[in-house]
Each structure stands twice: as structure tokens, then as C-alpha cells.
Amino acid sequence: MRTAIVIERRQTARRRVCLGGRVRIAAFLPEIDCVVRDVSLGGARIGVPVEATLPDCFDLFIPCRNETRRAFVAWRAGAMVGIGFAETRAASEPEALVRRLADSEAKVARLRAALLGGNDRGLAGVH
């Protein structure tokens, strides 16, 4: 008799749920109904029709919670799909943090320019 050894790769605890959800790929494409299972802070397991084609990234909408999360496909086995939530992945990747910081700095510069109207160059160096 063989026993399988399962290696747990989750970084956060999962919670078993059974929630209706919808996969939103693009505004001009129909949503795909799904069942949300095994939710954790970092991701979830969802059930979709076997014939459903999912892109690498999509929005997962859970109507009963009025919650939308950006998700990416981690694995797929038939109708079951393991997804990770993009915020969790981005928060743990240094290059994503660098991108977010650069975007924030660019936004601050645009706001500063809009406030100053581009006319008063003497205040442009003031932080």
C-alpha cells in the first residue's frame, strides 16, 4: 500500500468555501461562471467549465461579497484552476515594488505640475 506525500506550498492558511463567482476577462467578452473554493489570502481554487479558456490574468468577481480581485493562473487540472491574487504576488516581488514606486513618483510629479500650473518655476524645486 502506497501513501502519497503532499507538500504544502501555500504561504497562508486556506478556508474551504463554496461561493458563486464570475471570471471577467475583458469588457467585450462574456463572463465565465465559476465556483470559488479553498480561499486563502494568496489565492483560491476555482471550478470552471472544462472547455473554458482562461488567460494568464483576469478579474475574479464574487457577487455575494461584492469583491473583485485581480488573479493569475497558477495551475490547471481539468475543471479545477488554482489562482493566485495579483496583489499578493506583487507585494512579494521587489521588481513590482520598484515599478509601483516609480509610478507613484511619476504621479506625484504630474500632480505637482498640475498644481503649479507650469507657470511658477521657482516653486518647482520645493518638496
Side-chain angles (χ1 to χ4, degrees):
M1 180 170 157
R2 290 183 158 180
T3 57
I5 297 174
V6 178
I7 298 172
E8 182 64 51
R9 291 181 290 183
R10 282 179 204 82
Q11 295 177 350
T12 58
R14 68 177 174 187
R15 191 177 68 232
R16 291 191 185 277
V17 296
C18 184
L19 303 171
R22 292 189 210 121
V23 172
R24 293 178 172 167
I25 299 167
F28 56 88
L29 293 174
E31 296 177 342
I32 300 170
D33 289 329
C34 67
V35 177
V36 181
R37 302 281 192 159
D38 296 340
V39 175
S40 71
L41 291 176
R45 180 171 56 106
I46 63 173
V48 297
V50 176
E51 65 276 1
T53 302
L54 296 179
D56 291 338
C57 257
F58 57 87
D59 288 330
L60 174 65
F61 175 60
I62 304 173
C64 70
R65 293 184 176 175
N66 196 26
E67 179 181 0
T68 301
R69 303 285 301 267
R70 190 73 180 152
F72 61 92
V73 175
W75 56 266
R76 182 159 189 169
M80 301 312 291
V81 181
I83 60 171
F85 296 131
E87 317 68 68
T88 306
R89 180 170 64 173
S92 65
E93 295 179 359
E95 56 274 0
L97 293 173
V98 169
R99 268 194 316 274
R100 286 179 48 209
L101 179 60
D103 291 344
S104 295
E105 288 174 344
K107 186 174 184 178
V108 167
R110 285 192 304 274
L111 290 171
R112 181 177 288 134
L115 285 172
L116 295 175
N119 295 330
D120 191 350
R121 298 288 177 202
L123 294 177
V126 176
H127 297 302

